[in-house]
């Protein structure tokens, strides 16, 4: 069996074309508030609004996606709240802003107090890790619109996050230069992207999903439920450290390491020192016969967040990250390339736009 | 047939109990950011964060709910974006803040470019009416989690809105006094609440849904799709008018006129001059044999937004609203009542908490 992300239900090309039609209308609304949208880019990890006086407000939204179906299969609901905070807070810090507050949107098929409490626990733990307050939210019982793995089990969980930033310190990657160094911070596993493919390969819908897989050291369900790492504190520490010149940041989500190419500077990335990905990625690749190009396009492959720094900042950057117990290493460097390619020489892969291809 | 909101799929009591278990955890996250949460109340229409220097940031989130199923039945998608902006921007202005920006979250079962474009058009029109910019968003293709009226037609549409406010001018209703006057501004119909009950009564799933109903002057589907009124500009005009002392604001959504009781002051409301509701409410009540208590608990009954003003401000308030083409009138007054009752003498109804009951 050969699996691909397109065949797994997320048809990125068609979605992109359709999305452009939506974005044209939505993007035009910036004309209704030109004064606050001075720094807005729809392709950045978060939008930054100009509050005046040099202050900026960063906002972004993201959901947990089909990782919620894994929670339903495992009947374990106390970790997806962490993913919800992570997906949002990591996007906010990836523009250089400090997340301060979040709202949650919980759409449910049926009310279940135990599930609600467990989701709340996860949100609380995520907020603790990210150092933000969840100041409101919406719960919507829309049974006819939501479904899950069992009748009644369906829910969707989405967050919206706000952060503050000094407008002069927005990190959009505009200052990145060839020769800058890319430092990768380890992920905890698949995080909250590529779950459609990961589920299809790893889960069979039976008892095996709950049993320890020797290759993973835990059950497939437990592996896919490992919460997304929250990078807020270590990245804020880097941004505040006088010995670190942070030139670019990337939250590695859907499209994997191609997220690096979202920086403003028209440069390429040569990632020639990638660490060996966690076992889960090897198992998915071999069991699902998924090509390296597909794996690197779909998954974070062990790197959940990237920091691009000036060469002189490397040692201090690694020191700060280590002090926050983050596993981090130099994974490559920036090259002159107005095609914005991401090159993975050890894999023989070249990425442009939203896909890696064999070189 | 007798219909009730509980029987229609929205089980408010059970939801409330379960929700309390979620809220306990989420509410505790305020401890992670006490300095910004000085003014946060989870029961207000929007949360207000303290940005320092007397400035506040208001944020809130809301979805369109099952009105999206009506759009799917009608195969008309260019108005629900207006509802999405309305539900959010009206909540922001109901705390006295000026909406500046929004994010949208669109979860879809299947990609359809025509539907995407129509949704974008509605969001654009809503943003235009509210005077805000939609600066980002998330589109998530999660086929296994979303369903609609036909295979493939499902989607969910949610907004998150941000607004700015002078902290000294937050309108939370704390200054309301007995004798203050309640001015009601007309809704355009059912807006985006009570759709579960409205659909069950008005729609039969056949051709009749598309045919003009003489009592409504249009088809049931067209009636239920009328976009929610956006009250941002007229309410901002009142807030800025030196001749108007705005003491309280209420966006009339789920729980109908009981939203008035969300003001901080421990007062009651005597609404003795309610206008005759639109025909759609009469048709729902008679055709579904829905009691007045249920109708007033579930629907806005013709009033989409309330402004509580000092008696001396009434004439000027009505003048300003008329200049924005809003149909508005005095609907009642504030009374001393620490039970926070909402009394509708003409209906013989007394509302407390989340329900109206015959008196």
């Amino acid at each position: 069996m050969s699996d691909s992300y397109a065949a797994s239900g997320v048809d990125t090309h068609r979605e992109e074309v359709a999305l452009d039609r939506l974005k044209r209308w939505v993007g035009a609304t910036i004309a209704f508030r030109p004064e606050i949208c001075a720094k807005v880019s729809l392709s950045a990890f978060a939008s930054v609004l100009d509050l005046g006086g040099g202050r900026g407000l960063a906002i972004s939204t993201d959901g947990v996606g089909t990782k919620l179906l894994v929670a339903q299969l495992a009947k374990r609901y106390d970790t997806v709240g962490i993913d919800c905070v992570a997906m949002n807070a990591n996007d906010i810090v990836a523009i250089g802003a400090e997340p301060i507050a979040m709202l949650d949107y919980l759409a449910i098929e049926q009310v279940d107090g135990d599930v609600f409490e467990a989701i709340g626990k996860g949100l609380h733990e995520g907020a603790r890790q990210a150092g933000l307050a969840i100041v409101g939210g919406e719960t919507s019982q829309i049974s006819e619109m939501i479904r899950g793995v069992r009748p009644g089990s369906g829910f969707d969980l989405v967050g919206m996050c706000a952060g503050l930033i000094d407008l002069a310190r927005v990190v959009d990657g505009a200052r990145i230069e060839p020769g800058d160094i890319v430092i990768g911070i380890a992920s905890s596993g698949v995080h909250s992207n590529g779950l459609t493919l990961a589920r299809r390969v790893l889960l069979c819908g039976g008892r095996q999903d709950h049993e320890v897989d020797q290759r993973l050291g835990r059950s497939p369900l437990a592996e896919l439920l490992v919460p997304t790492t929250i990078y807020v504190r270590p990245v804020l520490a880097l941004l505040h450290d006088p010995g670190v010149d942070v030139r670019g940041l990337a939250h590695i989500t859907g499209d994997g390491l191609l997220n690096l190419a979202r920086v403003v500077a028209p440069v390429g990335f040569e990632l020639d020192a990638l660490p060996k990905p966690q076992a889960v990625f090897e198992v998915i690749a071999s069991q699902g016969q998924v090509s390296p190009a597909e794996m690197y396009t779909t998954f974070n492959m062990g790197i959940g967040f990237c920091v691009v720094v000036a060469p002189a900042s490397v040692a201090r950057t690694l020191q700060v990250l280590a002090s926050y117990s983050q596993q981090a290493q130099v994974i490559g460097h920036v090259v002159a390339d107005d095609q914005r390619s991401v090159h993975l020489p050890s894999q023989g892969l070249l990425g442009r736009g939203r896909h890696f291809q064999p070189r």
Side-chain angles (χ1 to χ4, degrees), chain A:
Chain A
M1 177 192 82
S2 174
D3 225 327
S4 83
Y5 207 45
S8 298
V10 182
D11 180 349
T12 48
H13 179 67
R14 273 196 63 211
E15 187 171 354
E16 228 170 316
V17 171
L19 200 53
D20 281 342
R21 295 176 65 183
L22 170 66
K23 276 186 177 169
R24 209 180 43 183
W25 285 98
V26 168
T29 64
I30 287 175
F32 302 137
R33 282 281 174 178
E35 77 286 5
I36 59 144
C37 293
K39 293 245 176 189
V40 164
S41 154
L42 289 181
S43 63
F45 292 96
S47 302
V48 180
L49 306 179
D50 187 339
L51 296 179
R55 299 188 77 189
L57 174 72
I59 52 176
S60 71
T61 180
D62 206 355
V64 181
T66 61
K67 191 164 185 168
L68 298 173
L69 298 172
V70 181
Q72 292 165 35
L73 287 168
K75 297 187 181 175
R76 183 169 174 193
Y77 301 94
D78 62 347
T79 56
V80 289
I82 302 175
D83 293 290
C84 184
V85 175
M87 294 305 288
N88 285 281
N90 288 344
D91 271 352
I92 292 288
V93 83
I95 195 97
E98 179 168 345
I100 56 168
M102 215 182 86
L103 302 171
D104 67 285
Y105 169 77
L106 176 61
I108 50 165
E109 193 181 351
Q110 273 179 23
V111 169
D112 183 323
D114 293 337
V115 174
F116 272 36
E117 176 153 10
I119 291 171
K121 272 187 197 174
L123 288 169
H124 183 273
E125 172 58 18
R128 189 190 66 74
Q129 292 182 25
L132 57 78
I134 302 174
V135 297
E138 170 71 12
T139 308
S140 182
Q141 193 178 344
I142 44 176
S143 321
E144 295 155 278
M145 293 166 55
I146 295 290
R147 61 179 163 183
V149 300
R150 291 177 298 277
S153 76
F155 68 105
D156 193 14
L157 179 62
V158 182
M160 303 105 200
C161 194
L164 294 176
I165 187 165
D166 177 343
L167 285 178
R169 299 187 60 134
V170 168
V171 180
D172 59 5
R175 289 197 305 118
I176 291 179
E177 289 172 11
D180 283 351
I181 304 299
V182 183
I183 290 169
I185 315 179
S187 67
S188 57
V190 295
H191 282 184
S192 303
N193 289 100
L195 267 296
T196 299
L197 175 52
R199 285 182 298 120
R200 190 157 297 185
V201 174
L202 287 188
L203 303 182
C204 63
R207 219 175 55 186
Q208 271 173 280
D209 296 346
H210 297 267
E211 286 167 1
V212 173
D213 179 315
Q214 294 309 330
R215 300 166 299 178
L216 301 171
R218 51 190 153 202
S219 73
L221 282 172
E223 176 66 44
L224 294 184
L225 263 192
V226 173
T228 304
T229 305
I230 293 178
Y231 300 99
V232 172
R233 290 180 201 272
V235 174
L236 287 178
L238 291 176
L239 290 165
H240 293 144
D241 194 293
V244 177
D245 181 5
V246 175
R247 298 198 167 164
L249 297 165
H251 182 200
I252 307 304
T253 54
D255 307 339
L257 290 160
L258 287 163
N259 278 285
L260 274 167
R262 291 165 74 177
V263 300
V264 164
V267 295
F269 295 87
E270 181 92 2
L271 306 183
D272 50 10
L274 287 170
K276 188 172 147 69
Q278 288 95 329
V280 62
F281 299 112
E282 291 172 40
V283 174
I284 292 171
S286 62
Q287 194 163 310
Q289 291 180 30
V290 185
S291 71
E294 203 63 37
M295 290 297 295
Y296 276 87
T297 300
T298 307
F299 296 108
N300 66 59
M301 300 306 281
I303 302 293
F305 205 95
C306 290
V307 185
V308 183
V309 296
S313 303
V314 170
R316 179 64 188 151
T317 300
L318 293 173
Q319 195 178 21
V320 171
L321 291 174
S323 75
Y324 281 83
S325 307
Q326 299 296 310
Q327 207 180 312
Q329 65 181 74
V330 171
I331 61 170
H333 59 279
V334 177
V335 295
D337 175 8
D338 57 14
Q339 297 288 300
R340 299 172 169 278
S341 317
V342 178
H343 185 207
L344 312 180
S346 62
Q347 306 297 324
L349 294 176
L350 187 73
R352 280 197 193 128
R354 300 190 60 185
H355 293 278
F356 280 104
Q357 304 282 355
R359 194 175 189 176

